[in-house]
Amino acid sequence: MREMFYSHAIREAIAEEMERDPNVFLLGEDVAEYGGAFKVTQGLVGQFGKGRIRNTPICENSFVGVAVGAAMLGMRPVVDIMFQDFITLAMDQIVNHASKIHYMYGGQLSVPIVIRTPAGGGRCYGPTHSQSLEAWFMHVPGLKVAAPATAHDAKGMLKAAIRDNNPVVFVESKLLYGQKGLVPEEDYVVPLGQARVVREGEHLTLIAYSRMVGEAERAATALDREGISCEVIDLRTLAPLDLQSIADSVVKTGRAVVVEEGCLTGGVGAEVSAQIVENCFDYLNAPVQRVAALDVAVPCADALERAALPDAGKVMATVRQLMQKYG
Amino acid sequence: MREMFYSHAIREAIAEEMERDPNVFLLGEDVAEYGGAFKVTQGLVGQFGKGRIRNTPICENSFVGVAVGAAMLGMRPVVDIMFQDFITLAMDQIVNHASKIHYMYGGQLSVPIVIRTPAGGGRCYGPTHSQSLEAWFMHVPGLKVAAPATAHDAKGMLKAAIRDNNPVVFVESKLLYGQKGLVPEEDYVVPLGQARVVREGEHLTLIAYSRMVGEAERAATALDREGISCEVIDLRTLAPLDLQSIADSVVKTGRAVVVEEGCLTGGVGAEVSAQIVENCFDYLNAPVQRVAALDVAVPCADALERAALPDAGKVMATVRQLMQKYG
Amino acid sequence: MDDKQLLADYRRMLLIRRFEEKLDSLFTSGVIKGTSHLYAGQEAVAVGVCAALRSNDFMTSTHRGHGHLLAKGADPKRVMAELFGKSTGYSKGRGGSQHTACAAVGFLGSNGITGGGIPIATGAALAVQMTASAPLTKDGHAGRNRAHPDAVVVCFFGEGGASIGMFHESLNMAGIWKLPIIYVCENNLYAMSVPLHEESAVQDIAHRAESYGMPGVIVDGCDYFAVARAVAEAAARARAGEGPSLLEAKTYRYYGHSKSDKREYRTREEEASWKNRDPILLLGTKLLETDVLTKDAQLQALHEVDAEVEAAVEFADNSPEPDPAAVLDEVFA
Amino acid sequence: MDDKQLLADYRRMLLIRRFEEKLDSLFTSGVIKGTSHLYAGQEAVAVGVCAALRSNDFMTSTHRGHGHLLAKGADPKRVMAELFGKSTGYSKGRGGSQHTACAAVGFLGSNGITGGGIPIATGAALAVQMTASAPLTKDGHAGRNRAHPDAVVVCFFGEGGASIGMFHESLNMAGIWKLPIIYVCENNLYAMSVPLHEESAVQDIAHRAESYGMPGVIVDGCDYFAVARAVAEAAARARAGEGPSLLEAKTYRYYGHSKSDKREYRTREEEASWKNRDPILLLGTKLLETDVLTKDAQLQALHEVDAEVEAAVEFADNSPEPDPAAVLDEVFA
Ligand SMILES: Cc1ncc(C[n+]2csc(CCOP(=O)(O)OP(=O)(O)O)c2C)c(N)n1
Ligand SMILES: Cc1ncc(C[n+]2csc(CCOP(=O)(O)OP(=O)(O)O)c2C)c(N)n1
Ligand SMILES: [Mg+2]
Ligand SMILES: [Mg+2]
């Protein structure tokens, strides 16, 4: 095992898969010499050249479409959408094309592309550079959605995504890029669709993904001292969702709080909550609760941004209230 | 009261608002002489001329953006997105611009636009012409989302939407266009954000919107004969969501089933279910259930399309199962 | 082009015409559901383009795709079956008219989104180029749709589709990367009901090629030979690594945009004037003049294609409905 | 242009320069958070454009918007406050650098989405045209931002932004509808790190104007007079109902794309060669030569703008943080 930045783990996954499979290539804005806005792909152009580490003009919908077309002929493109906010521009090619082509053309063609895209706030970038929109993609049949929380998973899941024969939206986190974690020496893959129990607990299940896993862990550690024992589950993949792992935990604890960085209404937590209720109703001792961003564009100013986004403190407040009423 | 097609009610709302307010105008593909793909705006060009009933080239993102810009200077554009599937192309202007401008520019500017767009399947149009994507827009702060189920509401809510100072995504239904309903003679408005109790009942609340309200009613009528009394609620507006009306009913019946035409996962039903659980947990006698489209692109062939989409029969099956276990 | 190909192409144009005429009546009589956009009137474009292509070249299409499919060599039976929503259709009944692919002949799909195929074609051309410049050692997923290193890609769209951002974005990339692709704009003067002058401030789409550093050529879309010549040149350019071209074929669709269209936005006179220069008539006359075709052979060709269309209808009619229980099959690859 | 305006504009260019230099140090020292894209080097474009506009004309901007804002007449204090994330900023601290509007001077917003302002500007021009052709009897919502019937709209974007579909889609509509708008492309040779030849197959964006039936003009973006002249012509055209224009100003940004950029994709020599033709230097020299400016007045102007920048920083620094409890205010209008 080595300590490694989340961003470097992603870079290593790309490099290894490009070594392994000549069909894999990267495209997006500033991915070559500049290494992407967050320097995730820095250095790869030296290793693989500009043909395979390909700068594009600014045209999200069409360079995703280019990836789709290339994938239909056997390539395995990894597309970089510089900020997740810009994925709004590519919704047509993702939703009407990438996600549907295999099914709607009768299985004749497939679209093995990965769309890497950093989400989230916390850097005072403001309304068009801070969104977490991944909930949308859960609503699109034919797409997989991955959102790793650690360097280990970032590498292993990205490798799984690149080897997958389906389009995968791969949600990264701007704030996690600079966090370190342990990464195995050897080649490994973290299969898509398997959640991870981060921490065992008795009274309540905290369900999170991406950056919010860390906040949930922090909350759990603090709550432990207050005598509230939280199990923490990292969803890792939003689609397919690992309902089994969620249900196993909720059946045990009888309580669940879902934590996400996106806006509350219509978010990932809504779906998780609905599935918990449908599948674990008889075991629930308390209503499923959600902790999420307020329903507002993520504002720029630090104080406002902190007010809008969820964090460990807000998770703790929700859990305390829940335990008070339903403990 | 007059009997009127849902489509004609929409046309009348547009005509009346254009008469009333010279800032209102219509733009979109084929809206003028052709009257739109579903003939909803037929005849308006004769009354208002091509300046105010304005054909656009095929460029959804930018003609929505044009509406945004015009609205910032005091106009009140009504934009036609011919099929809701094409709204994927306009997500940037809707999400990054229309929905955020008022808030992110400190309240200096506002964007009173209405985006009319027919959703849904049932006409064998296939994967890119049959989607119901409105759940996405609930997840976008600053947007209102309306989805009328009757001619009466289509007219009254569209008038409310046009008078609203915020961007409104106005979801119509291809299959409802040809359905008739009673519409008052006089000027009226149906405020956004108020659900409607379609039918009172005791055992269970069916919550639906747009075309699924009719399916829910049909199911309720049939279930009544089996001794299951369903209350039917038409949400009418998805954002803001009328939680009070939902809660009032669920507190009374203790059971809820949400019905929508969009795909199950990450749909409107997930949010409604989560809110019911959060607010009515102590009154729930059964898990909230959802009836929705299967998680698949809407296929073309009749038999497949019927298999994919929800209908009264599927609602009844879900209700029966629920009542058997939790009756 | 040798006589054999000329005859085959003449027959192919006839086949498309009769196929569409048959479809029109099937829709009108309610036998087929859904919607459809007929290609009749534009046959010289699809067939002229394919006359200059190789069988392993690729193609993307539009909502108006039957002509492109048949020209590229798809089986009319399976195209018809798709329109009937049957399990024997190329898309197993899931796609219908606007969503039919035929990977076996390099046809990467008709497309319900105006302009949606433009970036996809561009990506296919990138795959071809990458394959050519660095022969790949491993097969792609399933290896089924491998690009051939000397292939070209043809990308069809209408003049209406030339308004959408994907046109600009894609041609820009193709121009920068010098991709082996031919963009073919079928300018039939209307996008649904909207006439050219309400879609574009300029009347010739081909001139936009200059914005992307590629040649732009206007051809008479009623003239099979003109189309084939222009495509042959563009294809040679592409195969020689000289990059993309934009072709604009001036043409006309005979039917309404879709089945519900009453064509009130254009005159019967305009229609008649175009029908005077009917592409099949033009080619037939030329072939008769040059003795490639005889009156007898012409009549026989008509009988044959009618029989082929009838056989397609019969095949489609007798094919099984898709199994509703299998509706969730193949959502994932 | 009279001497008074020339002096004012010279001073305005200096103000923008010093404002950006100050910002750079504030970012480097960590006083300001978030990100920012500095306009230094391009001042002759923003100020030259505004020299030819009226105060009630409208403008949309980009991620690189401070120069445009200040040129259009926004208060440096409130721009700075926005950058500090304070409640006295134009956007009340919610928007920051990339999301600042100043409706009072017709500035319809800087924009975090590349190309996002292009359709918005086009829509503003449509509102102007509709107001002109049919004087409206009722006020718009709140009546605050009413279009004046003889206004023009200026739409700024970079050459990188000219690659996105919205460029094509919007110019096409403006061309068809003959809207009173001037599209100003600031071609500074790079989109972030990507050089022009990797963004576009052609080197001049202005030539794309032909695709949309409007004139396309290239100007020296370091030359205040050249910019002002070209804009005056385009504005006259627009006000006369003759429709849109596309202007391309060849220019250069002095700093990196954003604060984290080390400028490894270009050489120090290239930078130096552009700085030789510094727009403020060029204008200053010219004004000195023609006795519009004296050395003393020049020095005084520098002192004044520095004081103004300092006052802006002080204002911003002393302004209150936004109240977190008010985070949900004004989500809806
Ligand atoms: C993105 C999108 N917008 C609108 C439509 C509806 N639509 C289908 S075909 C068409 C007209 C297309 O015109 P053109 O590209 O000229 O092709 P033609 O029909 O003339 O062959 C329109 C507006 C669509 N399918 N996709
Ligand atoms: C849709 C979108 N894609 C990508 C970006 C990231 N981005 C911000 S500025 C920029 C480069 C813009 O270049 P140009 O338009 O030439 O303006 P310049 O920065 O040179 O002034 C990029 C890629 C963005 N903000 N929006
Ligand atoms: Mg056309
Ligand atoms: Mg630039």
Side-chain angles (χ1 to χ4, degrees), chain C residues 158-160 186-192 199:
Chain C
E159 86 297 336
E186 295 186 85
N187 183 346
N188 60 9
L189 305 180
Y190 298 91
M192 269 181 83
E199 299 175 68

Side-chain angles (χ1 to χ4, degrees), chain A:
Chain A
M1 292 280 213
R2 300 154 296 156
E3 267 234 315
M4 194 182 273
F5 285 119
Y6 182 94
S7 61
H8 292 178
I10 292 170
R11 184 188 305 161
E12 208 172 76
I14 296 171
E16 287 178 13
E17 292 305 300
M18 287 185 70
E19 284 277 2
R20 201 184 54 78
D21 182 349
N23 295 309
V24 178
F25 73 105
L26 205 76
L27 76 170
E29 294 149 8
D30 301 276
V31 293
E33 296 85 350
Y34 201 79
F38 298 96
K39 304 294 177 198
V40 176
T41 58
Q42 197 160 44
L44 293 178
V45 71
Q47 192 176 349
F48 299 104
K50 292 196 70 160
R52 291 180 71 194
I53 306 291
R54 186 172 288 262
N55 280 341
T56 63
I58 303 167
C59 56
E60 281 75 5
N61 201 32
S62 292
F63 71 66
V64 169
V66 160
V68 171
M72 286 162 81
L73 295 197
M75 305 299 293
R76 293 182 167 271
V78 178
V79 188
D80 185 305
I81 300 273
M82 195 185 281
F83 284 72
Q84 208 196 49
D85 314 70
F86 312 156
I87 212 165
T88 50
L89 285 151
M91 293 302 282
D92 165 59
Q93 283 295 328
I94 298 172
V95 174
N96 287 328
H97 297 91
S99 79
K100 293 184 171 52
I101 278 171
H102 181 71
Y103 181 81
M104 83 176 168
Y105 291 142
Q108 294 178 77
L109 298 156
S110 55
V111 184
I113 68 172
V114 178
I115 301 175
R116 292 181 42 236
T117 176
R123 296 180 66 143
C124 297
Y125 285 166
T128 65
H129 282 63
S130 308
Q131 292 168 87
S132 300
L133 300 169
E134 53 275 2
W136 286 349
F137 300 103
M138 296 178 77
H139 194 46
V140 181
L143 286 184
K144 297 190 177 180
V145 184
T150 65
H152 175 279
D153 287 354
K155 180 170 177 193
M157 288 167 68
L158 183 52
K159 288 169 75 100
I162 293 173
R163 297 180 194 182
D164 201 290
N165 283 337
N166 299 284
V168 180
V169 175
F170 194 86
V171 180
E172 303 175 1
S173 157
K174 293 172 203 114
L175 288 189
L176 290 181
Y177 282 144
Q179 301 221 346
K180 283 188 170 176
L182 289 176
V183 171
E185 302 284 345
E186 68 282 2
D187 186 34
Y188 70 102
V189 153
V190 175
L192 303 183
Q194 296 187 1
R196 173 176 70 103
V197 179
V198 178
R199 171 197 175 105
E200 306 217 348
E202 286 171 57
H203 302 132
L204 184 142
T205 305
L206 288 175
I207 300 160
Y209 64 92
S210 191
R211 185 167 77 84
M212 286 301 120
V213 173
E215 299 297 314
E217 279 190 79
R218 262 186 288 287
T221 306
L223 288 163
D224 215 26
R225 290 192 287 266
E226 301 174 17
I228 303 175
S229 158
C230 294
E231 183 141 312
V232 177
I233 290 193
D234 174 1
L235 290 175
R236 295 208 286 202
T237 313
L238 305 181
L241 192 69
D242 183 358
L243 175 64
Q244 190 61 54
S245 295
I246 299 170
D248 285 350
S249 177
V250 175
V251 163
K252 183 176 81 176
T253 64
R255 297 173 195 84
V257 172
V258 195
V259 190
E260 72 193 297
E261 192 176 333
C263 289
L264 179 73
T265 303
V268 173
E271 179 61 34
V272 174
S273 168
Q275 290 201 27
I276 290 173
V277 169
E278 283 160 4
N279 293 281
C280 313
F281 185 75
D282 300 341
Y283 301 88
L284 279 180
N285 297 321
V288 182
Q289 295 284 342
R290 296 175 289 166
V291 178
L294 299 179
D295 286 324
V296 64
V298 183
C300 227
D302 201 27
L304 293 177
E305 190 178 32
R306 274 186 283 112
L309 296 182
D311 59 20
K314 294 177 190 179
V315 174
M316 288 166 64
T318 300
V319 170
R320 281 197 203 105
Q321 238 181 329
L322 194 72
M323 292 307 291
Q324 213 154 20
K325 189 143 179 236
Y326 295 96

Side-chain angles (χ1 to χ4, degrees), chain C residues 196-262:
Chain C
L196 188 52
H197 68 271
E198 288 183 38
E199 299 175 68
S200 169
V202 298
Q203 297 310 291
D204 297 322
I205 303 298
H207 291 157
R208 293 195 180 149
E210 285 168 35
S211 292
Y212 315 109
M214 63 179 82
V217 176
I218 296 175
V219 291
D220 176 358
C222 301
D223 181 347
Y224 161 88
F225 294 102
V227 173
R229 256 192 319 271
V231 174
E233 243 172 73
R237 233 182 92 76
R239 290 192 222 279
E242 290 163 25
S245 305
L246 172 59
L247 259 56
E248 176 182 10
K250 307 282 191 184
T251 181
Y252 204 74
R253 65 166 152 75
Y254 287 176
Y255 289 97
H257 170 70
S258 62
K259 61 169 177 162
S260 54
D261 173 7
K262 295 190 186 59

